Amino acid sequence: MMLRAGQQFSLCERRACARCRAPSAKMRAGAADKPVSAKRPFKVALLFDCDGVIVETEELHRLAYNAAFTAFDLTIDGEPVQWSTEYYDVLQNTVGGGKPKMKHHFNKFGWPASISGPGPVSEATRNALVDELQDKKTEHYKSIVDQAAEARPGVLKLMDEGLDHPDVAVCICSASTKEGFIKLVDAVVGEERLKRFDVILAGDDVTKKKPDPLIYNMARERLGILADKCLVIEDSMPGLRAAIGAGMHCVITPTSSTDSGAFEEEGAGAVLQTLESVTVNDLFAKVMGPDWVRLEPVKTA
């Protein structure tokens, strides 16, 4: 069964039979559906970012963008447009989402000439160029993911622990474009595991990208849970600011591209270099301190 970004599963059905039932209905991507109430309300929610948290994708994205720029023969003042590793590190810690990254770059350095002609001037033609570049970038990215993507240590084990516990809602909230996001999570997280998630949202499902908190607010509303019961796992400054803006706790698991950020100064509850050997109770204890009441172990037959 193929995942659809924006889908939400029936919480009641998913809790039955060890949370492994198929979704009761597929939701349209981006649909603003009312929260679904569970028979037994969740105590907490664990929300995962995708790029950088589930998979270290920064270099994969950079290579895909540069391939798209080359395919369109992009130039600014006669120089080919290419993003270096160092520059992309700065970009991803400044701007969330692919199209906003390109617009940020072009607004700063000039709109590029391409195989279509001189640099666009109107907002409509600029948006059209960015849309075409994003489509080409996604095409290259999907090919790269097939060859190189693998989960970061500990993340799938942590997901499984949350998914196995009836008191924990588990979500993925990514700023990535839906098509590339679906390709990545299908390949790395796996379709069977994805069926068990409570909410899955991609960048296409929201009108504003991180650091705007909209995607996390939408997930919380669909779950019907208070913000202070939510813990977000992020890797970058835009993601942290989105989580904090939504009133949620946040733990940062930085990558080599983001580890220079002053995350704790910006409100992160903890900064962990790896999620290996970390439990759900460990994470919530770090951000809630003495207020955290440990989850009881799941009883097995």
Side-chain angles (χ1 to χ4, degrees):
M1 173 183 172
M2 187 62 66
L3 163 72
R4 296 180 185 273
Q7 75 187 66
Q8 180 180 350
F9 305 127
S10 165
L11 306 182
C12 300
E13 289 187 11
R14 198 199 62 147
R15 294 304 169 188
C17 288
R19 296 171 69 165
C20 61
R21 296 301 188 205
S24 60
K26 294 180 180 179
M27 311 304 286
R28 299 187 310 276
D33 304 291
K34 294 181 180 179
V36 178
S37 298
K39 291 180 180 178
R40 180 179 180 183
F42 295 118
K43 289 184 178 179
V44 293
L46 189 60
L47 302 94
F48 293 84
D49 176 39
C50 183
D51 293 315
V53 171
I54 299 175
V55 183
E56 285 204 45
T57 53
E58 291 85 356
E59 182 62 6
L60 309 185
H61 281 291
R62 187 185 72 85
L63 293 172
Y65 279 117
N66 284 342
F69 298 159
T70 298
F72 275 73
D73 195 22
L74 290 196
T75 59
I76 297 176
D77 295 331
E79 294 294 322
V81 177
Q82 290 285 281
W83 288 347
S84 68
T85 301
E86 294 76 16
Y87 178 69
Y88 193 72
D89 288 351
V90 174
L91 257 188
Q92 70 164 357
N93 281 292
T94 307
V95 185
K99 293 180 184 180
K101 282 183 175 67
M102 286 188 280
K103 290 179 179 180
H104 173 86
H105 179 82
F106 299 149
N107 284 332
K108 184 175 182 180
F109 296 103
W111 280 82
S114 69
I115 55 175
S116 300
V121 176
S122 70
E123 183 176 359
T125 54
R126 287 177 173 181
N127 286 338
L129 175 61
V130 168
D131 287 345
E132 291 175 352
L133 287 169
Q134 185 66 39
D135 288 344
K136 179 60 69 173
K137 178 262 179 181
T138 298
E139 179 184 319
H140 285 286
Y141 179 71
K142 288 166 65 178
S143 176
I144 295 170
V145 163
D146 278 339
Q147 304 170 38
E150 61 180 4
R152 291 187 67 182
V155 68
L156 297 181
K157 180 176 178 292
L158 187 64
M159 286 179 177
D160 288 340
E161 182 191 355
L163 290 168
D164 286 341
H165 204 294
D167 292 331
V168 182
V170 187
C171 315
I172 300 176
C173 298
S174 173
S176 294
T177 302
K178 177 175 60 178
E179 189 175 356
F181 163 76
I182 291 174
K183 180 72 172 181
L184 178 66
V185 294
D186 276 346
V188 175
V189 180
E191 293 181 19
E192 290 306 310
R193 184 182 281 110
L194 287 167
K195 290 176 185 178
R196 303 171 65 201
F197 277 74
D198 299 289
V199 174
I200 298 174
L201 297 171
D204 305 64
D205 295 314
V206 292
T207 55
K208 297 179 181 179
K209 301 294 182 69
K210 301 173 186 177
D212 191 278
L214 179 59
I215 195 166
Y216 288 125
N217 285 329
M218 182 181 292
R220 177 188 59 75
E221 289 168 1
R222 291 188 176 187
L223 292 170
I225 193 170
L226 295 175
D228 65 359
K229 302 299 182 184
C230 298
L231 171 56
V232 175
I233 302 178
E234 275 282 359
D235 72 301
S236 68
M237 198 62 76
L240 170 62
R241 289 170 178 161
I244 297 300
M248 298 178 180
H249 303 284
C250 186
V251 167
I252 294 292
T253 176
T255 67
S256 58
S257 300
T258 65
D259 60 5
S260 62
F263 297 112
E264 289 176 321
E265 294 178 13
E266 292 260 355
V271 177
L272 304 176
Q273 295 303 315
T274 179
L275 295 175
E276 209 164 10
S277 303
V278 176
T279 69
V280 172
N281 273 313
D282 292 337
L283 289 177
F284 278 97
K286 286 180 182 295
V287 298
M288 292 188 178
D291 294 332
W292 173 242
V293 179
R294 294 183 68 84
L295 296 169
E296 293 296 327
V298 176
K299 295 180 179 179
T300 57

